[in-house]
Amino acid sequence: MSTTPHRLKAALLPLLLALWAVGSAEKARANDWWQARYDGAKTGASPEILPAPLSLLWIKTLTPPGYTGRVHPSPVTRDGRVFCPGGDTLYCLDAATGAELWHYQFPYLMASTPAVANGVVYATDLNGNAVKLSAKKGPLNGQPLASAGIGSRLFSSPLVTQANRLAWGCGISKQIRIYDLARPERLLGTLGTGQTCYGSAAGAQGRVVVGANDSSFYCLDEETGSLRWKFTIPGGEVDLTTPAIAGNAAILTTSFDSTIRSLDLATGQTNWSVKPDNLQCKTGSPAVAGDRVFAYRGLGTTLTNKLFCLDRVSGNTLWIANLGVSDLPIPGFVGSPSVAADRLFVCVDRKMTVFSTTSSTPLESHPLGEACVSSPTPSNGRVHVHVTGVLYTFQGANVAPDAPVTGFAPTAGSVVLGGSVALNWTPALDVDDSPSSLRYIVRGDDDGEVDEDYDWELTTPYGQTTAIVSGSNLTANTSVVWRVRAEDDNGALSTWSLVQSFLYAPAPGDPVDAPRALTATPFDQAVFLAWSPPALGTPAYYAVSMARDGDDGFDIPYWIVEGDTPWLAVLGLPNGILHSFAVTTIFANGDDSPAAFVQTVPNSKIQITSPSGLTTSYASIQAAAQAAQTGDTITMEAGTYEEDPISLPAGVSLKGKSPSTTTIVGRNSTAPVITVAGTPGGAPGGRAEDQLPSITNLRVEGGSTGISIEENAEILITNVILTKNDVGMTAGEGCYAVIKNNTFVSNTSDGLQIPGDEKSRLDLRNNIFSKNPGAAVRMVNAEQNGKSNEKNKATTYCCFHANGATHADGATGGVGDMTLIGDLFADSSYHEMRGSLAVDGGKPGDAYDNEPAVNGGRVNAGAYGNTSEATTSFTWSGEIASPSSEEGAAGG
């Protein structure tokens, strides 16, 4: 079953029917196994031919070792991906390799199989948390597209019908709900049941059938949710089984009364009812292929488990396969058989067995590591089996083709001037089939994406790599996007090709029903979209899609905007990346317009400014650091930046707005937050401090070291707060560093560690050291090569407050140093308290022109010295006490 198009122009129907007749004369078209039991009718049977033998392709562990959960939902496939729950997490994997593409973690364990339709994934956990995720990207910015609570104890897998309806048995809330999935989704109807609905629903021919544990099956109208009929089992629960719909009948299996039934879909009257061996047992959901019904019945550890094949019309038994006595207890439910053309797959105990649909003799058997109670998923030349948190994938003798990759015409972005359009591509690669054994499915749309509401779909004859799109199905001055995928003559499908596009422009003028004057205004991590209503028609709402630079076309619409609100603020976007937006008008009758398109780059809080004045935006400080060249300055707007370790290249500066508003928090507490790179073989230079690269106007916290200056580095560090690190700052041997007007406060060990080698050149002045329980300043490697650097021992005009020690291991105090007792800071941003000795405590002659008036003619000590945030002075007279050389003052 293909996704139902949102609209299909009548002019295209004759061409579609002609192509379909040619392309499907040999066999029915297969599809991905995209929901529980394959299709909306829950037949558990695909027409794909999957010839023997099978071989193990890959294994993927989805849950931690020791996982013992008893609920093992079956995987599903879509567009070259396999979607499988494991514990509390839904995984999206590459179907060919098992590589993880994305995952989404629920608050609770998953107990049901997801459905993948309309470009999205519908899934729930056992506690009734239901979500809608992008099939391409999973949780967008960490969040689902939509979420709802629909009742705990939710084992029921979502049903998506051919008419684009969603049905759920809603767990302990004792309800059956039916939704219309056309945007925006809405609840069509709710029917109460006597007991919990554990099983999943089947839908076909305008009916939805689902069982509840009040011993009843309910048939609902697909459009309204109203009750059509109810069938009550004579004693016993329905359990977890799902009905199947085939012909005009609903096929039911039940566990308590161990009976298989066929009911008339229109009336609920019994066509036939059989209990093949008159034994009470656990029975899985039926599979229905052609004129045959297959059911597996588990009889526990004392009797033989059996696989039954019945005639769909009469219920007569055609064959029985004995599957042996289990050495495992039946856990309350059993797996269900699955069919691919003439192959039948069933899991019993610790193995998967393959049969022909026409014989009770096994064709092959494959061991599984643990007991399996889920259903196999045969799809695109492979069989996927979920076993106790581990996903096994077997490769069949037929290998699925690759997607077309070259030879696309019209070429991307070209203009087609009218009439019918021939779409072309080079034959897809298939390792075990010739080009003549491949046909192609082509989808196209004019609103930027083809995954949810494509306007048209074509199927070519075998061997043909051209599809003709009638001009009557295309709209003037629109950008048409299209994809193509290959299908071999066994029904195995490739993934979709990358999105292709062309401009269809047979006449001048803008489309009259598309949004007009679309604009995008970029902000920090955000874009504001605004547009005018279309020239004709009254919009019911607008659908907004987005694609980022490097994406494969537009994803499904992220946002729905009411028709009287022609604007949207899109938040949480990464800065520095090109974003494209498509806005489509949706009218009350369901018609949609071509899209209006616009592109922009959200402004970054992080930019590199080159010496020539050129600025470039980046999504992270580390990304900017990796791109920066000598002489560049990385600037940051106010904000808190959580970063992996930042490596600042030699000669590059890093500048925030102010120490109180710009914070870098390290994500790795065992590594420095910022490492200043040295120049190999370099030596301390003689440049003035204002010519040095610098780190300024920041607060740095959360690392093993706030700032680590490597050997032979040159740097000016000023107006920086270093707090909540193990060590505030370390300086390497042979470096030239001016460390002035910084605040080292509440690091868990030392404030500053300096080298003792004679080659280093350090200037340590106007700093505040407070509440560092190790030492405010500690010298390391003091006797390097038998010599120590006397110049690096002394601090000048620094303030020491309540440290474990002021100086240690050879570091000493110098001119202007002060020991402070009592309160020092006025707030959590470590502004000095007015009247503290740290105010006007810096070196005489250092600039203070940026400090607010009134000031005392001296620069403030600490991170706010010579800034507009420096604490104002007042007249103060007194002695400045010199600290002891080793122990700091008590108090504070």
Side-chain angles (χ1 to χ4, degrees):
M1 190 191 86
S2 300
T3 304
T4 304
H6 196 57
R7 60 173 178 167
L8 186 64
K9 295 183 175 69
L12 184 64
L13 286 176
L15 178 61
L16 275 173
L17 293 173
L19 285 174
W20 181 258
V22 174
S24 56
E26 299 172 44
K27 59 179 69 70
R29 203 182 90 190
N31 206 336
D32 301 302
W33 195 289
W34 55 277
Q35 61 179 315
R37 311 302 296 149
Y38 177 68
D39 53 8
K42 304 295 186 183
T43 60
S46 164
E48 178 186 344
I49 299 171
L50 213 161
L54 299 178
S55 59
L56 186 62
L57 182 62
W58 53 261
I59 301 174
K60 180 76 170 182
T61 299
L62 304 179
T63 56
Y67 172 74
T68 57
R70 292 170 54 198
V71 179
H72 312 135
S74 300
V76 294
T77 66
R78 194 80 182 199
D79 301 344
R81 300 182 174 198
V82 57
F83 302 81
C84 188
D88 61 359
T89 303
L90 175 63
Y91 293 90
C92 174
L93 310 174
D94 184 285
T97 67
E100 181 178 327
L101 302 175
W102 57 258
H103 71 269
Y104 177 78
Q105 186 173 13
F106 280 89
Y108 206 70
L109 295 175
M110 297 185 70
S112 61
T113 297
V116 188
N118 307 325
V120 300
V121 184
Y122 303 96
T124 64
D125 68 10
L126 190 57
N127 218 27
N129 298 293
V131 299
K132 171 184 175 183
L133 303 164
S134 164
K136 280 187 184 178
K137 297 187 175 70
L140 300 164
N141 297 324
Q143 299 297 320
L145 293 167
S147 61
I150 59 173
S152 63
R153 301 293 293 168
L154 202 151
F155 290 87
S156 179
S157 299
L159 158 71
V160 178
T161 72
Q162 191 170 8
N164 214 24
R165 302 292 184 260
L166 174 91
W168 255 312
C170 296
I172 207 166
S173 61
K174 303 176 184 178
Q175 291 179 341
I176 304 165
R177 296 186 189 179
I178 298 181
Y179 296 84
D180 181 357
L181 292 183
R183 301 168 299 180
E185 295 90 343
R186 59 190 176 91
L187 183 65
L188 292 175
T190 300
L191 180 70
T193 59
Q195 290 292 332
T196 303
C197 291
Y198 287 133
S200 303
Q205 303 178 43
R207 300 287 188 269
V208 171
V209 181
V210 64
N213 259 17
D214 56 2
S215 303
S216 299
F217 282 87
Y218 295 82
C219 178
L220 290 73
D221 186 279
E222 184 181 46
E223 295 300 321
T224 64
S226 59
L227 182 66
R228 289 295 183 178
W229 50 259
K230 175 181 175 181
F231 177 83
T232 300
I233 302 166
E237 296 178 339
V238 170
D239 213 1
L240 289 170
T241 60
T242 299
I245 298 175
N248 295 313
I251 310 297
L252 319 176
T253 57
T254 56
S255 290
F256 190 86
D257 68 347
S258 305
T259 302
I260 305 171
R261 295 178 174 85
S262 171
L263 306 183
D264 185 277
L265 185 61
T267 65
Q269 298 298 310
T270 301
N271 295 322
W272 50 260
S273 175
V274 298
K275 189 173 183 178
D277 53 6
N278 290 311
L279 294 173
Q280 185 172 331
C281 58
K282 288 293 182 181
T283 307
S285 303
V288 183
D291 60 357
R292 300 190 173 210
V293 175
F294 304 93
Y296 164 61
R297 308 179 70 189
L299 292 163
T301 58
T302 58
L303 298 173
T304 300
N305 301 303
K306 295 180 180 179
L307 179 66
F308 293 92
C309 175
L310 310 179
D311 182 86
R312 179 175 63 83
V313 177
S314 66
N316 294 333
T317 300
L318 300 178
W319 55 258
I320 301 174
N322 293 326
L323 299 176
V325 177
S326 176
D327 64 346
L328 300 167
I330 299 298
F333 51 90
V334 297
S336 305
S338 302
V339 177
D342 62 346
R343 291 291 184 265
L344 177 64
F345 307 86
V346 63
C347 290
V348 179
D349 295 345
R350 298 181 180 89
K351 64 182 179 180
M352 178 181 69
T353 302
V354 184
F355 293 85
S356 166
T357 56
T358 60
S359 172
S360 62
T361 302
L363 298 176
E364 54 185 306
S365 186
H366 298 273
L368 305 171
E370 299 289 341
C372 180
V373 292
S374 68
S375 302
T377 302
S379 177
N380 297 324
R382 308 176 190 98
V383 182
H384 308 279
V385 187
H386 181 205
V387 185
T388 318
V390 179
L391 185 61
Y392 289 77
T393 292
F394 298 89
Q395 175 66 58
N398 179 60
V399 178
D402 292 338
V405 294
T406 61
F408 296 107
T411 55
S414 61
V415 178
V416 177
L417 298 178
S420 297
V421 179
L423 307 179
N424 296 278
W425 54 92
T426 301
L429 176 65
D430 192 326
V431 297
D432 57 3
D433 283 306
S434 67
S436 63
S437 299
L438 302 179
R439 62 179 173 182
Y440 300 87
I441 300 98
V442 189
R443 287 180 182 172
D445 198 69
D446 60 10
D447 64 4
E449 56 85 17
V450 290
D451 295 318
E452 181 174 15
D453 64 345
Y454 53 89
D455 288 337
W456 43 266
E457 178 178 288
L458 307 176
T459 301
T460 72
Y462 286 96
Q464 182 170 305
T465 58
T466 298
I468 307 298
V469 184
S470 170
S472 61
N473 192 52
L474 302 173
T475 305
N477 285 303
T478 61
S479 182
V480 179
V481 296
W482 58 285
R483 289 186 191 269
V484 59
R485 72 189 306 191
E487 181 186 29
D488 67 20
D489 56 2
N490 283 327
L493 293 158
S494 75
T495 59
W496 286 100
S497 71
L498 297 179
V499 168
Q500 308 300 313
S501 66
F502 62 89
L503 179 66
Y504 189 72
D510 292 328
V512 294
D513 56 355
R516 296 177 298 162
L518 174 62
T519 62
T521 304
F523 294 93
D524 176 48
Q525 300 183 65
V527 170
F528 183 80
L529 300 172
W531 59 88
S532 298
L536 296 177
T538 301
Y541 58 92
Y542 301 95
V544 183
S545 302
M546 181 180 74
R548 293 174 181 163
D549 191 24
D551 280 356
D552 176 24
F554 285 86
D555 204 348
I556 56 93
Y558 289 8
W559 304 277
I560 298 298
V561 179
E562 295 298 326
D564 58 355
T565 310
W567 60 267
L568 175 67
V570 183
L571 308 177
L573 303 177
N575 288 318
I577 297 175
L578 180 67
H579 288 69
S580 301
F581 297 90
V583 183
T584 302
T585 309
I586 312 295
F587 298 97
N589 64 357
D591 284 348
D592 58 348
S593 76
F597 296 91
V598 70
Q599 294 181 323
T600 192
V601 178
N603 290 329
S604 178
K605 284 185 168 184
I606 303 164
Q607 293 183 326
I608 288 179
T609 302
S610 69
S612 65
L614 178 66
T615 61
T616 308
S617 296
Y618 292 87
S620 69
I621 302 171
Q622 178 59 22
Q626 290 174 340
Q629 305 292 321
T630 299
D632 289 347
T633 298
I634 301 171
T635 59
M636 294 166 287
E637 295 296 320
T640 298
Y641 300 83
E642 293 188 13
E643 289 273 338
D644 293 325
I646 299 165
S647 180
L648 190 67
V652 174
S653 296
L654 182 63
K655 183 178 182 180
K657 278 294 185 181
S658 82
S660 64
T661 63
T662 312
T663 300
I664 301 177
V665 180
R667 287 177 176 160
N668 184 351
S669 62
T670 65
V673 180
I674 302 170
T675 298
V676 181
T679 302
R687 290 191 291 174
E689 62 184 53
D690 61 358
Q691 295 177 339
L692 293 173
S694 62
I695 298 176
T696 184
N697 293 342
L698 294 173
R699 174 169 170 161
V700 182
E701 60 183 62
S704 62
T705 305
I707 299 176
S708 174
I709 306 169
E710 289 189 337
E711 295 181 12
N712 304 319
E714 292 185 324
I715 195 71
L716 164 66
I717 300 177
T718 183
N719 303 122
V720 174
I721 296 171
L722 297 119
T723 184
K724 300 178 183 177
N725 305 286
D726 183 20
V727 176
M729 185 187 303
T730 61
E733 297 174 0
C735 68
Y736 170 32
V738 178
I739 302 170
K740 70 169 188 175
N741 286 103
N742 303 290
T743 299
F744 299 78
V745 57
S746 298
N747 298 288
T748 58
S749 180
D750 298 332
L752 170 64
Q753 293 179 353
I754 60 175
D757 70 298
E758 64 176 355
K759 295 181 180 180
S760 297
R761 178 182 172 187
L762 302 179
D763 186 349
L764 313 174
R765 72 181 194 269
N766 305 349
N767 301 297
I768 294 176
F769 297 88
S770 174
K771 296 184 179 180
N772 300 289
V777 183
R778 183 184 302 275
M779 183 175 284
V780 295
N781 298 327
E783 298 298 328
Q784 180 82 9
N785 298 321
K787 299 179 180 181
S788 64
N789 187 353
E790 299 295 330
K791 293 182 296 184
N792 289 334
K793 287 185 177 182
T795 56
T796 60
Y797 298 95
C798 290
C799 301
F800 299 92
H801 169 253
N803 300 285
T806 56
H807 303 85
D809 297 335
T812 64
V815 177
D817 283 350
M818 300 174 286
T819 299
L820 308 179
I821 300 174
D823 294 332
L824 174 59
F825 299 116
D827 54 31
S828 61
S829 295
Y830 305 111
H831 292 89
E832 298 94 311
M833 184 178 294
R834 190 169 184 265
S836 164
L837 294 180
V839 180
D840 304 333
K843 181 179 179 179
D846 275 6
Y848 59 88
D849 52 297
N850 287 322
E851 293 189 3
V854 178
N855 58 61
R858 287 264 295 275
V859 66
N860 279 17
Y864 299 103
N866 197 30
T867 73
S868 61
E869 290 189 69
T871 307
T872 56
S873 180
F874 68 102
T875 302
W876 175 79
S877 63
E879 297 293 328
I880 298 176
S882 296
S884 64
S885 62
E886 296 296 334
E887 298 302 321

